[in-house]
Amino acid sequence: MDFTATLLAWYDENKRSLPWRNSRNPYEIWLSEVILQQTRVEQGLPYYERFLKNFPTVFDLAKADEDTVLKLWQGLGYYSRARNLHHTAKIVVQDFGGIFPNTYEDLLKLKGIGSYTAAAISSFAYHHPNAVVDGNVFRFLSRYFGIYTPINTGIGKKEFESIANTLISHKFPADFNQAIMEFGSIQCKPNRPDCGACVFVAECIAYRDNVIHLLPVKGKKSAIKDRYFYYLYIEKGKEMALHKRTDNDIWKSLYELPLIELDSAVSMEDLQESDEWKRLFHRTKIVVQSCSEKIIHKLSHQAIHAVFIHLVVKKSDVFPSDFIWIKKEYHHTFAVPRLIENFLIHRLAKR
DNA sequence: GATTCGTGGGA
DNA sequence: TTCCCAAGAAT
């Protein structure tokens, strides 16, 4: 058997049953692919079900508020995906009458759709022979062919896409793409794959050379930056303050507690000497109720050192206009980062 | 083209 | 504890 026949035979025997498989609805495929970007199937699956239930069609998604979309996305991370998803839904409805583009090139023009997702939609929905290259495909092909080009470079990406596009079955492009990703995910795993059970072991260059654990090659990752967040849980009667993040930074468009960010860890005394603290509270006498232990929230490239400070202020106190005052019991209707959600649910609920 | 965008699970 | 990394894309 040749490569494709071997792969498709393996897939037929070993494929998982997943809700977006066998769908040829471009909206459902697009939704699943965006949710699954840099996300494990098990983590993304419940989000896929919820999105499809709340937004059965692209028209439903297009007419929703961005805040509603972000709330449904809460906890999944990489929130630009949700904003781009919503933006693209509106484009598809307004410019294309709700019909998705059906070529790789036109799909690539949409926000949130890169080379992988364009290939996925064009092959799964329209059976066009565009090869998907995700992390699973990088790993499998780098080992099978013994390729040491770093996969996280432009050169590497082009090289592997070129190879995948020469391999892809023109008769079964959708099944081929599903199969090669499934194979990388289930059989050609990152750690200690069971090469004795592999249908490609006889031809695998990395196995022959005993370098399975060295492939794929990746360039070094950038350093982790430390940041120091002092979050203010400000109570004013039955209300509390929130703030919406708008900068091009982590958690853009999500809500959070009012924040003082400093460039180092400081004591409560020093915090109250900071310019931002004075700007917020110079005209009022606030009462500091309590202060949490430092919580270290780890992201891919940042470590957030967070402290939550509980304050009580008077009805007459005035604060910046970008503060949003909400009834305390409504906090769960706002999309917030996990760090904030954990505080609101666990710490706050204990009172 | 190197960096930056979250979160959670497993070794 | 720490590190890796998972159906990538935008800048």
Side-chain angles (χ1 to χ4, degrees):
Chain A
M1 284 201 293
D2 65 1
F3 182 88
T4 293
T6 304
L7 181 63
L8 292 179
W10 175 90
Y11 181 60
D12 195 47
E13 288 293 315
N14 297 280
K15 64 182 173 187
R16 293 168 290 181
S17 175
L18 298 172
W20 45 83
R21 289 220 170 120
N22 304 318
S23 170
R24 290 196 57 175
N25 180 330
Y27 170 71
E28 296 177 6
I29 292 166
W30 167 63
L31 179 62
S32 73
E33 293 302 339
V34 173
I35 287 174
L36 291 173
Q37 287 166 6
Q38 293 292 285
T39 303
R40 296 172 187 281
V41 167
E42 314 83 71
Q43 189 187 4
L45 212 150
Y47 285 85
Y48 176 75
E49 305 283 12
R50 279 199 295 268
F51 264 83
L52 215 48
K53 185 174 180 180
N54 281 271
F55 310 120
T57 72
V58 70
F59 298 98
D60 302 306
L61 179 56
K63 69 188 181 194
D65 294 330
E66 185 182 84
D67 276 1
T68 304
V69 177
L70 284 167
K71 181 61 188 177
L72 213 53
W73 198 273
Q74 177 177 315
L76 198 53
Y78 286 164
Y79 297 95
S80 67
R81 290 184 293 169
R83 299 195 311 271
N84 288 334
L85 189 80
H86 185 226
H87 174 84
T88 290
K90 290 195 287 190
I91 296 294
V92 168
V93 167
Q94 290 168 12
D95 295 356
F96 306 121
I99 309 298
F100 272 80
N102 64 2
T103 67
Y104 177 85
E105 288 74 21
D106 286 342
L107 287 162
L108 208 50
K109 296 173 184 169
L110 298 171
K111 280 196 176 178
I113 297 183
S115 56
Y116 165 79
T117 305
I121 298 172
S122 83
S123 65
F124 299 151
Y126 305 115
H127 287 203
H128 293 167
N130 299 111
V132 294
V133 178
D134 72 336
N136 297 308
V137 177
F138 275 125
R139 185 170 54 253
F140 175 38
L141 294 182
S142 71
R143 288 171 173 171
Y144 182 84
F145 290 107
I147 298 171
Y148 292 78
T149 312
I151 62 172
N152 54 350
T153 63
I155 298 291
K157 198 175 172 217
K158 283 186 67 175
E159 181 176 358
F160 283 95
E161 283 180 352
S162 174
I163 294 170
N165 276 304
T166 63
L167 290 173
I168 190 170
S169 164
H170 285 243
K171 194 170 183 181
F172 306 108
D175 277 348
F176 178 93
N177 276 341
Q178 291 282 2
I180 196 169
M181 287 193 288
E182 190 80 334
F183 186 84
S185 177
I186 293 178
Q187 174 63 42
C188 198
K189 297 184 292 188
N191 303 316
R192 301 164 53 86
D194 182 6
C195 296
C198 177
V199 293
F200 293 108
V201 67
E203 317 138 55
C204 180
I205 302 300
Y207 181 81
R208 183 197 69 186
D209 297 343
N210 196 27
V211 291
I212 288 287
H213 62 292
L214 297 179
L215 294 173
V217 174
K218 289 188 184 180
K220 68 177 193 300
K221 55 185 186 306
S222 50
I224 292 177
K225 180 184 177 184
D226 289 293
R227 297 176 71 175
Y228 303 88
F229 284 10
Y230 294 86
Y231 275 121
L232 308 176
Y233 172 54
I234 307 175
E235 274 189 287
K236 182 194 272 189
K238 293 181 177 178
E239 296 186 326
M240 60 176 288
L242 289 182
H243 170 259
K244 188 166 188 170
R245 294 180 69 89
T246 56
D247 294 345
N248 285 323
D249 193 2
I250 55 170
W251 304 326
K252 183 179 180 182
S253 300
L254 297 199
Y255 294 85
E256 64 183 354
L257 300 178
L259 167 66
I260 297 176
E261 180 176 3
L262 301 175
D263 54 16
S264 64
V266 301
S267 65
M268 272 302 293
E269 291 72 27
D270 287 345
L271 175 64
Q272 297 185 38
E273 292 299 316
S274 70
D275 293 341
E276 185 64 9
W277 184 281
K278 291 178 183 172
R279 188 178 75 82
L280 290 174
F281 302 119
H282 68 91
R283 63 179 97 195
T284 177
K285 197 172 178 65
I286 53 91
V287 181
V288 176
Q289 295 291 105
S290 64
C291 177
S292 77
E293 294 301 303
K294 178 183 289 183
I295 297 166
I296 300 180
H297 185 82
K298 293 178 177 178
L299 291 73
S300 298
H301 298 90
Q302 301 185 32
I304 308 296
H305 302 248
V307 176
F308 290 87
I309 298 147
H310 181 192
L311 308 173
V312 175
V313 300
K314 294 181 301 191
K315 286 267 191 184
S316 56
D317 289 337
V318 177
F319 291 96
S321 58
D322 59 341
F323 280 27
I324 300 166
W325 294 93
I326 66 164
K327 291 192 183 303
K328 281 179 275 186
E329 64 265 33
Y330 289 164
H331 69 74
H332 63 277
T333 65
F334 292 81
V336 297
R338 272 286 192 251
L339 174 62
I340 300 297
E341 185 192 22
N342 289 339
F343 170 78
L344 290 174
I345 292 181
H346 298 120
R347 312 295 188 296
L348 202 53
K350 287 181 183 172
R351 301 179 199 291

